[in-house]
């Protein structure tokens, strides 16, 4: 893999039964590149993302992330690679029974050995970085406005 290619997709075919979503799709995403995938509902944007991160095993083709073939990666190796990215799915991106601050702390609890106070401070900082007031961290997802 070229040193500047972060994601390489070759000959990707994804399907659900007889319904083919992608066929012979090639894609390179360079390190540091910001890429938007747009299109009407049902055209395979989310399916492509799921194939790239290893949540959907393609029918054909290969997907490499940081030089690692995610189409044949499972278990601890895949979990280690997953720590390199973050994903926010459309709809239901937050746990409804946790505050915003607690939601932000979920990956910290999962992947780091930090004190509760430090996790709270880091979560508050991340909330501010997103453009929200720290007080938004005490709200539950159902209490957030659409713009938040």
């Amino acid at each position: 893999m070229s040193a500047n290619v972060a994601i390489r997709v070759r000959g990707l075919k994804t399907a659900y039964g007889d319904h083919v979503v992608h066929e012979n799709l090639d894609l390179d995403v360079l390190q540091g590149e910001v890429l938007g995938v747009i299109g009407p509902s049902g055209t395979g944007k989310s399916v492509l993302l799921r194939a790239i991160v290893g949540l959907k095993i393609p029918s054909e083709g290969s997907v490499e992330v940081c030089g690692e073939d995610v189409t044949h990666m499972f278990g601890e190796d895949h979990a280690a690679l997953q720590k390199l990215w973050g994903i926010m799915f459309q709809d239901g991106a937050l746990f409804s029974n946790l505050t915003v601050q607690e939601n932000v702390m979920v990956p910290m609890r999962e992947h780091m050995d930090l004190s509760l106070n430090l996790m709270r401070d880091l979560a508050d900082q991340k909330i501010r970085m997103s453009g929200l007031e720290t007080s938004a961290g005490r709200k539950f997802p159902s209490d957030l406005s659409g713009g938040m």
Side-chain angles (χ1 to χ4, degrees), residues 78-91:
H78 192 240
L81 186 63
Q82 286 178 323
K83 291 180 181 180
L84 298 178
W85 61 66
I87 300 172
M88 185 169 78
F89 292 99
Q90 61 193 24
D91 301 325

Side-chain angles (χ1 to χ4, degrees), residues 1 7 11 21 34 37 41 45 49 54-55 64 69 72 74 76 83 91 95 102 107 114 130 138-140 146:
M1 174 174 290
I7 299 170
V21 180
V34 176
V37 180
S41 179
K45 302 175 300 290
L49 176 63
L55 295 176
E64 294 179 13
D69 182 355
H72 298 99
F74 304 98
E76 290 180 20
K83 291 180 181 180
D91 301 325
F95 297 110
E102 291 166 336
L114 302 174
S130 75
R138 292 187 290 282
K139 296 180 183 245
F140 286 88

Side-chain angles (χ1 to χ4, degrees), residues 42-90:
T43 57
K45 302 175 300 290
S46 295
V47 175
L48 175 61
L49 176 63
R50 289 177 183 278
I52 290 171
V53 301
L55 295 176
K56 168 77 174 146
I57 298 173
S59 303
E60 295 176 13
S62 65
V63 178
E64 294 179 13
V65 178
C66 299
E68 301 289 336
D69 182 355
V70 299
T71 53
H72 298 99
M73 184 178 284
F74 304 98
E76 290 180 20
D77 290 337
H78 192 240
L81 186 63
Q82 286 178 323
K83 291 180 181 180
L84 298 178
W85 61 66
I87 300 172
M88 185 169 78
F89 292 99
Q90 61 193 24

Side-chain angles (χ1 to χ4, degrees), residues 5-128:
V5 176
I7 299 170
R8 172 166 285 153
V9 178
R10 291 292 178 265
L12 183 73
K13 179 178 181 180
T14 54
Y16 291 95
D18 292 336
H19 176 71
V20 176
V21 180
H22 304 109
E23 188 158 25
N24 203 27
L25 185 139
D26 291 342
L27 172 71
D28 285 344
V29 180
L30 304 178
Q31 290 178 356
E33 183 175 28
V34 176
L35 176 72
V37 180
I38 60 172
S41 179
T43 57
K45 302 175 300 290
S46 295
V47 175
L48 175 61
L49 176 63
R50 289 177 183 278
I52 290 171
V53 301
L55 295 176
K56 168 77 174 146
I57 298 173
S59 303
E60 295 176 13
S62 65
V63 178
E64 294 179 13
V65 178
C66 299
E68 301 289 336
D69 182 355
V70 299
T71 53
H72 298 99
M73 184 178 284
F74 304 98
E76 290 180 20
D77 290 337
H78 192 240
L81 186 63
Q82 286 178 323
K83 291 180 181 180
L84 298 178
W85 61 66
I87 300 172
M88 185 169 78
F89 292 99
Q90 61 193 24
D91 301 325
L94 298 175
F95 297 110
S96 61
N97 62 329
L98 300 178
T99 66
V100 171
Q101 183 190 56
E102 291 166 336
N103 269 280
V104 173
M105 290 167 48
V106 166
M108 291 184 236
R109 289 180 184 274
E110 180 77 18
H111 301 292
M112 301 174 165
D113 183 24
L114 302 174
S115 71
L116 184 58
N117 285 337
L118 181 55
M119 285 190 286
R120 285 180 179 146
D121 289 345
L122 289 170
D124 288 346
Q125 181 180 10
K126 291 176 182 293
I127 290 166
R128 285 191 303 276

